[in-house]
Amino acid sequence: MGLLSRLSKAQRQQIFGRFVLSWMPTLSYIMVAVSFFWLLALPHQDYSKRTYVSENALLPGSANVQFNWDDNLAAEAYRDTVQSIAYLPSIERAQALEQQFASIGLKSATQNYTLNTSTESLHGVNTYAVFYAPRSDGTEALVLSASWLSRDKTTNTNAIAMLLALGKTFKRGSHFSKDIIFVVSDGEAEGLQAWLKAYHGNEENTYERNEEPLRVRSGAIQAALNLDFAGTGDYNALGIFFEGVNGQLPNLDMINTINWISLGIAPVELTLHDELIPYTENMTKNYLNSLRKMLYQMKYQAIGTPTGNHGLYLKYKIDAITLYGIDRPGWNSQRFNLFRVGCLLESAVRSLNNLLEHLHQSFFFYLLSDVRRYTSIGLYMPPVIILGVSFILQALSLWGLSGDLPLELKSLAEGNKDTPVGLPYSRRSRSFRVASTTMGMAIFTGAATFHLLTTEFGLVGETPMLKLVASVGVCSMLVLSAVSTAHVRSRIIQSVNVIQKSRSTNSDSKGSSSNNIDSHHVAADQELTPAADWIMLKTLILALSALIVTTLSALNFSLAVSMGILIVLPYMAFRPSRWTVVSMVEALILLVISPPGLMMVASWWYAKDPSDVLSWVLREYEILGTWLLPTACFIYWPLNLAAIIMVLLPIS
Amino acid sequence: MHASSPCLLLLSGAVLALSVAASATSDTIPVLKAPEAFHEQLILKPLNDGGVYSHFQFTTHIGTMMDDDHFDGAASNLFKHYNLFPRSIGQILHSFEVEELHLTFTQGRWQYSDWGYPLAPSAGTGVELWAWLNDDKRQTDEHWKGLTNTLSGLFCASLNFIDNTITTEPKLSFRNEGLYNTHSVPHTSYNSNSNSTIPRKLRYGSLPHENVCTENLTPWIKLLPCKSKAGIASLLKSHKLFDTRFYSMAVHVRSVCEDESCRVKSLELVQTITAVFDVARNDHSFDWSLSGLFEREITQSCPLASTSKVIVNLPQTTEIENQYSLTPHPVPGAIQTEGSGDNKQEIAVYDLKKIFAETTTPFQLSLHWDGSRPKSVRAITPGIVAHRYFTGFGQERGGLAIEIRNNNSQDIEAIFLDTLPWYLKLYLHTFSIQLNGKTLDNQRDLVQKMLYQPAVDRSRPAVLEMALRLPANSLVKFTVSFDKVFLKYTEHRPDANRGFDVGYAVITAQLPREQGQIGYGGLDHMRIFQEREAGLVQGRHGSGGVSDREKEDKIRVYTDTLLVSLPTPDFSMPYNVITMTCTVISLFFGSVFNLMMRNFEVVKPPASSKKNGKGKGKKAE
């Protein structure tokens, strides 16, 4: 016999309904707790795994390194050259560098670019040079890049000198199967971005963007290393930056390769990002350190900003990382100079040169808790999915609540077996009109804010902050009008209901019920006023949140997690209260986690002016195309607005 | 009568066409100079970027033959008796009725903007094979297939992969190179095939990703009469040849005329090896010597060779004279000058036959720069440079951009040929032309003729051929968009994530001779030195109409090959897991779901079951 078919349909429905109502809210809270704890477990040593080189073709560190002391001397000479031209105007230093590359025997050229954002105008000149691998067909290439400006906002002297020295070293070799392109980009990210666009033939020639076409080209870029070695001194450790635009990650084998080389052929201390953490045996400390590293990664992924110029390559399906020289005087590790860096880079390039196919083994989705430990997608996805499910459960229970199940259960519990129960539909009407209108308005407001922020109107005194204030004003107007309308409406409905009720009792006493159902049910029917608007709105908010969190988790895990954690409890727990104070407190909390609120929190945390934070977000969007601003405007803020309206709605 | 004889099939077309011409100007009796001859030549040229260009050329002639009146019986033995001509090639030509054969193996890219044009006519990366086949019996396709497979075996290369999906038949490019074509027989008769009774068909195929190595060189050397035992071929040491920046070896077979009216013809086999050494690689010194380049020396000339020469294209210095010294210094009269003014090119000729007649010491040659580096040399500006690259990123769609720069101060007629594999779906409506950065609306001025063969999935490639008129000093850019096809998973190669190689585009153009380039006009030009010395052809260049042609050279410019990444399924673990899980779920879900949801009931005897409908459950009670 079929298991489910043993029960009658009505009974099944009853049991299901009972289960929903009694357990779902609790279950969803339990799931949130499970999800939180699971997330916290991710960096734990026993949960993550050790990294390993998955692509066998890489063979890191197996080739003998040719970089010798002569090359080191050459690098030091180039360092002086770079220093001497570093403060020239863009065009002059680019040409000087082009000369240097040409004298090595590489094909070199420069590229002009202009980028006009809504707030500023950026112009610069990139220099690039191509080493044509002897006897290769030139279908594949590797890129070594460095920008003039380092992370530390100082001149990237050593990195550029290193590029020149490596160019000289590679020119001696005849064992390369891929061309090697050296790019020295101007500005921060926009220079390399312009170069990459032109390399892929997408150069634009408009007022906003103008990128000069490239004169020298090579094949499809397989991988890239971005160098960030500021200053002219030695370094304590090597930091790896790997987070790209919108949380994209390079193949883990890129990091594994450097890792392997740093253990053998060119011993340096390796770490993630620019944080040096002393080794410890202490379990708790270890865990906290891992957690901190993981949070660091998740932060960058969530805001979508690349941690270095390598992030721009990822968009073009080029795996890339940034190697950053950490100079931390007093740190007790052996300091290393350009010679060691040269060996490491040459070995890394030789290793990537071995690739037969595009990097495809290993992982593209991972969280790193240490430079040698990773958590793969299979291990970190469950908590965020659980989080998404908890939203859904809550939404379902609310949906059930708005139906007429409580009544049916009640009658069932009374043991009145004779009454036919369990109609397959809800007799209580659910009106989505208010909910959908509110949501629509909220999304419209969000979209309007986005366009307001990203469009330049050419008005006097036009600043992003002013625009944001204006849109906040519009939003508060929306909230106020929606809430007040709803209140007025509910009053009217209530009064209408009172009238109707009195009428129906009149008609009931006359005994002229049209449906020929017994009087008890007619009375019950009359009690079922339409579900409250806030329930509908909250259901919609929760369902949308579930949709967004789960969908986003596949695209940008960190963004989904941080969004989910931020909204899960407020959205699930908050509801209009009988006491206005409680509602107001809820609204206030929601206001704090709204985009402007978070912006204020961030500006307070980093001790920056809020307008700086805003213009930074805008800049990141306009130059790099990060998703932070669109996500905030099109998704996060509308939900938040709707939630604020929801808690302020009349309770019945 | 001759056409029926299989040994003459190859050349009978020319013979028949010729008998007309012969009757007009048959006053001199053609002379059979040599039934078979072998010439060897090494041309060296220092390049401006520290490289040394070396070009080995071995030419074998066979079966000089005459028209009907002066028919020489020896000619009938053309493919029956071999002295110098390699039998393996002869048999291939004979059995597949090949009239003209060009096979080139190349590794590396020719840097046109640094090195000018190569002496060898082909420089496309990978393997290029094209042949004119006799289509008398309409068996061209079978013959082509046989030819590729046989050559594949002969040269240890994957030539057998040139199948229908790769083979094309260009309509404008890759015309016959036989000398009879350009010099003796009027153009029209061959282009229209009206005079020729034998239809011929062109087949062209290339493998861009074919690697070239010693296993291809060894069979190539075996074709030489002296192998690598004597003569300049003894320099061919694979260890050094494959440590160069560019390496190319070729076999060209064609028929040539030996006299002005082309009554005496011969079959010519030209074997070339082109290598660009990077002498400045290690110590940044531009000095070089033969023994340094090849790690071998010439101890004697090939005894079978009629001529044996080493030719050095002297570097053309500017401003400062006498920057270099060449040892041994060429004997007086051995320095010849080609061209004048800016186009002047001095050539030092060393005749090995003469040198080894006087001495037995190995031939040494070295060039030493004053201060190890040149101070000023004449820059090279090649007339036409082309680049081709993919635009866009991702695996769904892309674009192709071709840039052709004409550095000449006059308009140039050029033919552009591009072959694209069928898995790139070209959209011709997206084809646009930019002239010096501006989109051109009227394409007629530039593109005079356009032939396009659309691709057919899994059977033939797309071929785009255009007759262009490139304006003087201009940059012409073509762009066209395409979609990438999602291949069947069995059609992916073992290294699926590498992508697919897309071969080069070829631009054929007539360029005015200038700018101190290495070579011109491919095979025709290669004959210049040896003809002058060997006197095989007398006075051919003196005849009218030819002198104009002499100033122009037909060159072919090859673009780089490209790599395209198509949508690739993840062939690793997840793919297997997904496939397996889906199978398991689809198998089990049905039965489990069925078990869960089906209403099983005890069937009552028919009498009582009349009351209860079969499908109705407990609800009815």
Side-chain angles (χ1 to χ4, degrees):
Chain A
M1 289 278 258
L3 295 173
L4 295 180
S5 61
R6 287 191 193 179
L7 301 165
S8 77
K9 198 174 178 188
Q11 277 173 313
R12 286 202 298 268
Q13 211 177 37
Q14 294 295 337
I15 290 170
F16 181 68
R18 197 174 356 181
F19 173 75
V20 166
L21 281 184
S22 57
W23 278 103
M24 267 203 184
T26 329
L27 190 66
S28 67
Y29 282 112
I30 291 172
M31 285 175 102
V32 170
V34 168
S35 164
F36 277 20
F37 279 109
W38 200 328
L39 283 171
L40 283 176
L42 289 184
H44 195 268
Q45 280 231 322
D46 296 332
Y47 194 71
S48 55
K49 287 185 197 155
R50 270 192 80 84
T51 55
Y52 58 95
V53 178
S54 176
E55 171 64 87
N56 289 324
L58 276 170
L59 298 170
S62 61
N64 280 332
V65 175
Q66 317 250 312
F67 197 87
N68 55 27
W69 279 108
D70 283 344
D71 295 306
N72 186 42
L73 290 178
E76 279 168 7
Y78 282 130
R79 186 166 65 191
D80 298 339
T81 315
V82 172
Q83 259 185 312
S84 67
I85 61 172
Y87 296 101
L88 293 173
S90 278
I91 181 79
E92 284 175 33
R93 70 180 181 190
Q95 279 164 354
L97 213 54
E98 183 189 2
Q99 283 286 315
Q100 290 290 332
F101 276 117
S103 68
I104 295 171
L106 307 178
K107 268 254 172 277
S108 57
T110 58
Q111 184 208 15
N112 277 297
Y113 68 87
T114 311
L115 176 65
N116 289 313
T117 68
S118 62
T119 48
E120 60 192 323
S121 174
L122 303 162
H123 173 78
V125 190
N126 298 323
T127 313
Y128 58 100
V130 183
F131 162 66
Y132 291 112
R135 273 178 306 106
S136 78
D137 54 5
T139 53
E140 295 170 290
L142 300 172
V143 173
L144 287 174
S145 67
S147 67
W148 273 102
L149 208 58
S150 150
R151 278 183 71 78
D152 315 341
K153 309 289 172 207
T154 53
T155 312
N156 206 355
T157 317
N158 272 349
I160 297 170
M162 205 65 241
L163 289 189
L164 286 160
L166 283 174
K168 206 168 182 175
T169 314
F170 293 156
K171 197 80 180 64
R172 288 204 306 267
S174 66
H175 37 242
F176 286 97
S177 69
K178 297 175 174 52
D179 287 354
I180 293 156
I181 309 175
F182 300 89
V183 183
V184 179
S185 61
D186 208 346
E188 285 178 40
E190 65 274 6
L192 188 61
Q193 169 132 323
W195 186 85
L196 276 170
K197 274 186 82 171
Y199 192 88
H200 291 91
N202 294 334
E203 66 265 2
E204 287 175 50
N205 203 348
T206 57
Y207 168 72
E208 281 81 24
R209 288 170 183 275
N210 188 350
E211 291 116 8
E212 192 184 331
L214 302 186
R215 293 201 300 279
V216 184
R217 275 171 202 281
S218 176
I221 302 172
Q222 303 290 313
L225 288 172
N226 186 51
L227 311 186
D228 197 323
F229 293 93
T232 55
D234 295 354
Y235 304 98
N236 288 96
L238 193 70
I240 294 183
F241 288 88
F242 53 98
E243 300 92 347
V245 180
N246 297 324
Q248 262 189 298
L249 295 174
N251 194 295
L252 189 57
D253 268 344
M254 288 291 288
I255 297 168
N256 295 342
T257 306
I258 300 295
N259 191 355
W260 194 263
I261 293 165
S262 79
L263 289 174
I265 207 151
V268 292
E269 188 180 337
L270 201 64
T271 181
L272 283 184
H273 308 113
D274 52 358
E275 258 188 315
L276 285 175
I277 293 170
Y279 176 76
T280 170
E281 286 286 344
N282 187 326
M283 278 283 283
T284 329
K285 264 191 185 161
N286 259 338
Y287 171 75
L288 288 176
N289 287 340
S290 299
L291 181 68
R292 215 166 86 189
K293 294 231 156 171
M294 197 173 273
L295 284 178
Y296 200 89
Q297 178 191 347
M298 288 177 73
K299 180 183 91 179
Y300 276 109
Q301 280 194 284
I303 56 179
T305 312
T307 43
N309 276 353
H310 64 274
L312 306 167
Y313 291 100
L314 299 175
K315 189 175 150 192
Y316 296 91
K317 203 168 173 274
I318 302 164
D319 297 295
I321 52 173
T322 288
L323 298 176
Y324 172 66
I326 305 171
D327 183 16
R328 196 69 45 85
W331 180 259
N332 64 342
S333 69
Q334 206 194 345
R335 289 172 73 79
F336 56 90
N337 60 2
L338 283 182
F339 180 65
R340 190 65 57 81
V341 175
C343 290
L344 183 122
L345 287 174
E346 196 204 331
S347 189
V349 170
R350 288 292 298 277
S351 183
L352 292 171
N353 178 58
N354 286 340
L355 279 177
L356 299 172
E357 303 177 56
H358 203 92
L359 278 171
H360 67 284
Q361 299 271 357
S362 201
F363 296 93
F364 283 99
F365 301 96
Y366 50 85
L367 290 173
L368 294 184
S369 51
D370 181 76
V371 74
R372 292 182 185 99
R373 297 206 83 84
Y374 77 100
T375 313
S376 81
I377 184 166
L379 296 175
Y380 71 61
M381 273 307 263
V384 75
I385 297 299
I386 290 174
L387 206 62
V389 172
S390 71
F391 277 114
I392 292 183
L393 289 187
Q394 192 78 17
L396 277 178
S397 81
L398 268 180
W399 181 258
L401 196 76
S402 65
D404 52 2
L405 273 169
L407 181 89
E408 303 298 339
L409 283 174
K410 208 173 165 189
S411 61
L412 194 77
E414 280 163 8
N416 194 352
K417 297 273 184 190
D418 297 333
T419 49
V421 290
L423 286 173
Y425 51 86
S426 165
R427 278 171 297 154
R428 191 163 158 182
S429 69
R430 297 187 182 97
S431 165
F432 256 110
R433 207 183 307 146
V434 174
S436 53
T437 314
T438 312
M439 199 44 104
M441 290 295 288
I443 290 173
F444 178 75
T445 318
T449 308
F450 178 76
H451 287 294
L452 191 68
L453 284 173
T454 51
T455 319
E456 197 178 359
F457 294 100
L459 302 173
V460 184
E462 181 185 337
T463 61
M465 200 59 194
L466 213 63
K467 290 176 185 171
L468 187 70
V469 169
S471 61
V472 168
V474 173
C475 291
S476 49
M477 290 296 286
L478 171 79
V479 173
L480 275 180
S481 56
V483 171
S484 54
T485 318
H487 274 278
V488 171
R489 188 167 160 271
S490 77
R491 291 265 170 78
I492 295 170
I493 288 173
Q494 265 173 3
S495 53
V496 170
N497 271 358
V498 169
I499 298 164
Q500 270 186 345
K501 224 173 240 176
S502 59
R503 268 190 201 157
S504 69
T505 38
N506 289 344
S507 63
D508 199 29
S509 58
K510 280 172 193 166
S512 60
S513 66
S514 53
N515 284 333
N516 201 15
I517 315 169
D518 66 24
S519 57
H520 175 79
H521 267 264
V522 173
D525 222 8
Q526 292 305 325
E527 279 171 33
L528 294 176
T529 52
D533 289 333
W534 71 265
I535 296 183
M536 290 293 99
L537 187 54
K538 190 174 171 181
T539 316
L540 190 62
I541 291 169
L542 287 172
L544 276 179
S545 304
L547 181 74
I548 286 159
V549 166
T550 44
T551 313
L552 214 54
S553 68
L555 300 171
N556 188 343
F557 172 78
S558 303
L559 184 58
V561 164
S562 43
M563 206 158 113
I565 288 175
L566 211 57
I567 63 176
V568 67
L569 287 177
Y571 285 14
M572 270 166 60
F574 288 1
R575 50 184 292 178
S577 166
R578 271 176 223 292
W579 297 285
T580 329
V581 188
V582 177
S583 290
M584 291 316 270
V585 168
E586 286 174 353
L588 208 65
I589 293 172
L590 287 171
L591 207 60
V592 170
I593 63 165
S594 72
L598 287 175
M599 198 187 82
M600 300 308 269
V601 171
S603 62
W604 167 75
W605 180 262
Y606 291 105
K608 286 255 172 68
D609 198 55
S611 63
D612 287 347
V613 177
L614 182 64
S615 51
W616 175 80
V617 171
L618 256 176
R619 195 185 132 91
E620 294 292 298
Y621 166 72
E622 284 177 339
I623 295 175
L624 303 171
T626 60
W627 292 343
L628 187 61
L629 189 66
T631 316
C633 287
F634 286 106
I635 297 172
Y636 189 78
W637 207 352
L639 280 179
N640 186 271
L641 275 179
I644 293 175
I645 293 172
M646 187 266 293
V647 295
L648 293 177
L649 282 182
I651 193 156
S652 59
Chain B
M1 173 187 160
H2 291 150
S4 61
S5 166
C7 63
L8 291 177
L9 270 176
L10 179 75
L11 300 168
S12 53
V15 170
L16 285 171
L18 225 96
S19 51
V20 183
S23 59
T25 58
S26 61
D27 45 350
T28 54
I29 298 162
V31 186
L32 185 71
K33 291 273 179 185
E36 276 187 284
F38 174 68
H39 307 274
E40 57 177 10
Q41 209 170 64
L42 168 63
I43 297 158
L44 294 159
K45 179 181 164 102
L47 298 171
N48 289 355
D49 63 352
V52 173
Y53 173 83
S54 63
H55 177 84
F56 293 83
Q57 184 170 323
F58 306 93
T59 316
T60 316
H61 293 267
I62 189 177
T64 314
M65 147 185 143
M66 300 176 201
D67 57 35
D68 293 351
D69 300 340
H70 307 91
F71 180 69
D72 184 342
S76 58
N77 286 332
L78 185 58
F79 289 129
K80 288 187 179 155
H81 184 72
Y82 297 90
N83 282 326
L84 299 172
F85 199 88
R87 183 175 179 160
S88 47
I89 294 288
Q91 282 177 335
I92 289 172
L93 300 177
H94 179 59
S95 52
F96 299 115
E97 301 185 16
V98 182
E99 294 214 347
E100 206 174 309
L101 172 75
H102 300 268
L103 171 64
T104 313
F105 297 87
T106 306
Q107 183 127 40
R109 283 157 289 167
W110 183 263
Q111 306 287 345
Y112 287 97
S113 49
D114 291 343
W115 303 341
Y117 296 115
L119 206 52
S122 174
T125 309
V127 173
E128 181 189 60
L129 171 67
W130 58 283
W132 280 90
L133 301 167
N134 197 326
D135 195 33
D136 199 20
K137 293 173 189 158
R138 314 225 166 258
Q139 289 179 320
T140 308
D141 289 323
E142 293 92 76
H143 281 160
W144 173 248
K145 199 176 173 202
L147 180 68
T148 53
N149 280 284
T150 316
L151 287 175
S152 170
L154 183 63
F155 287 103
C156 297
S158 322
L159 285 166
N160 52 326
F161 285 101
I162 302 183
D163 54 7
N164 284 340
T165 61
I166 295 178
T167 305
T168 58
E169 190 180 350
K171 299 282 185 245
L172 303 172
S173 314
F174 297 103
R175 298 297 93 191
N176 304 54
E177 288 201 338
L179 282 186
Y180 54 85
N181 214 15
T182 51
H183 289 285
S184 303
V185 180
H187 255 282
T188 46
S189 69
Y190 262 86
N191 285 354
S192 63
N193 272 343
S194 58
N195 282 3
S196 172
T197 51
I198 298 174
R200 289 169 300 149
K201 283 206 167 161
L202 171 65
R203 287 289 179 273
Y204 173 86
S206 69
L207 296 170
H209 192 51
E210 180 75 7
N211 283 315
V212 186
C213 205
T214 46
E215 81 260 22
N216 310 113
L217 178 64
T218 313
W220 186 94
I221 287 176
K222 275 189 182 172
L223 302 177
L224 298 172
C226 290
K227 307 284 185 288
S228 59
K229 297 276 187 283
I232 59 171
S234 56
L235 293 175
L236 296 174
K237 183 183 179 186
S238 55
H239 174 70
K240 289 300 279 184
L241 281 177
F242 291 104
D243 188 24
T244 49
R245 289 171 70 179
F246 175 86
Y247 173 83
S248 175
M249 66 184 208
V251 174
H252 303 278
V253 183
R254 57 175 189 167
S255 50
V256 292
C257 299
E258 296 290 357
D259 69 342
E260 200 178 336
S261 53
C262 208
R263 280 180 295 174
V264 180
K265 289 200 296 298
S266 68
L267 191 64
E268 184 188 69
L269 167 73
V270 181
Q271 286 179 263
T272 64
I273 281 187
T274 302
V276 176
F277 292 87
D278 195 357
V279 290
R281 183 193 286 164
N282 283 323
D283 49 5
H284 303 285
S285 158
F286 282 40
D287 299 346
W288 56 267
S289 64
L290 266 192
S291 53
L293 292 180
F294 298 100
E295 282 184 358
R296 281 189 184 169
E297 22 191 43
I298 307 173
T299 48
Q300 61 173 111
S301 65
C302 175
L304 298 171
S306 308
T307 61
S308 182
K309 289 201 174 65
V310 174
I311 294 161
V312 183
N313 281 27
L314 299 176
Q316 299 307 298
T317 54
T318 55
E319 294 167 24
I320 309 160
E321 294 294 318
N322 301 324
Q323 291 181 51
Y324 63 90
S325 58
L326 192 64
T327 40
H329 199 272
V331 290
I335 292 188
Q336 301 170 357
T337 308
E338 292 261 316
S340 59
D342 276 352
N343 298 338
K344 196 177 86 171
Q345 174 66 59
E346 286 174 313
I347 297 160
V349 182
Y350 296 89
D351 192 336
L352 293 183
K353 287 271 176 202
K354 277 184 195 159
I355 288 170
F356 286 115
E358 291 161 10
T359 173
T360 51
T361 50
F363 175 67
Q364 304 276 6
L365 184 68
S366 64
L367 188 136
H368 176 74
W369 287 93
D370 196 14
S372 289
R373 276 180 97 92
K375 290 176 185 71
S376 60
V377 284
R378 201 168 62 205
I380 287 177
T381 332
I384 284 185
V385 188
H387 288 288
R388 189 175 65 148
Y389 54 92
F390 280 134
T391 59
F393 55 95
Q395 300 188 319
E396 192 185 354
R397 59 182 74 88
L400 187 71
I402 301 125
E403 287 179 2
I404 306 174
R405 189 180 287 279
N406 178 11
N407 292 324
N408 290 289
S409 51
Q410 65 188 73
D411 290 7
I412 298 287
E413 305 270 352
I415 293 162
F416 173 81
L417 168 71
D418 201 346
T419 311
L420 289 165
W422 61 266
Y423 38 77
L424 301 182
K425 291 251 169 280
L426 279 189
Y427 291 119
L428 265 199
H429 73 276
T430 59
F431 184 83
S432 73
I433 303 176
Q434 284 183 2
L435 180 63
N436 297 325
K438 290 186 194 72
T439 308
L440 213 61
D441 293 327
N442 183 14
Q443 304 180 348
R444 282 281 157 200
D445 299 343
L446 216 141
V447 182
Q448 297 184 320
K449 205 173 187 183
M450 190 172 185
L451 302 172
Y452 179 65
Q453 172 196 286
V456 175
D457 278 5
R458 298 178 178 82
S459 59
R460 74 171 193 203
V463 181
L464 178 65
E465 207 166 11
M466 290 185 288
L468 304 171
R469 188 176 183 83
L470 303 170
N473 297 313
S474 65
L475 173 70
V476 178
K477 183 176 173 185
F478 304 103
T479 51
V480 64
S481 307
F482 57 80
D483 273 357
K484 298 176 180 178
V485 169
F486 194 90
L487 293 182
K488 292 175 185 167
Y489 81 102
T490 46
E491 284 168 340
H492 282 279
R493 296 205 315 214
D495 51 350
N497 282 285
R498 183 176 180 275
F500 288 81
D501 286 275
V502 175
Y504 36 77
V506 186
I507 293 145
T508 315
Q510 294 278 355
L511 284 189
R513 180 171 299 179
E514 58 176 349
Q515 291 145 340
Q517 288 151 8
I518 298 170
Y520 317 90
L523 293 169
D524 280 357
H525 182 67
M526 290 196 284
R527 286 174 64 89
I528 288 173
F529 304 117
Q530 63 191 14
E531 280 167 1
R532 186 172 292 153
E533 299 299 317
L536 277 169
V537 179
Q538 284 123 6
R540 203 187 70 204
H541 298 296
S543 59
V546 181
S547 55
D548 273 352
R549 199 174 300 281
E550 282 295 298
K551 286 173 190 159
E552 281 199 341
D553 292 302
K554 195 175 188 182
I555 55 116
R556 285 205 295 272
V557 180
Y558 289 77
T559 66
D560 289 350
T561 56
L562 301 171
L563 193 65
V564 60
S565 70
L566 298 181
T568 317
D570 187 350
F571 284 109
S572 56
M573 262 313 268
Y575 182 71
N576 305 337
V577 172
I578 290 166
T579 319
M580 211 188 79
T581 330
C582 289
T583 315
V584 170
I585 285 179
S586 58
L587 281 177
F588 281 80
F589 176 76
S591 47
V592 172
F593 181 77
N594 209 351
L595 200 70
M596 293 276 284
M597 297 311 289
R598 179 161 293 182
N599 221 354
F600 292 97
E601 291 207 0
V602 181
V603 182
K604 287 172 184 170
S608 57
S609 72
K610 225 177 182 181
K611 252 185 172 177
N612 295 0
K614 249 190 181 175
K616 308 266 175 187
K618 287 169 185 174
K619 220 174 181 185
E621 288 171 22

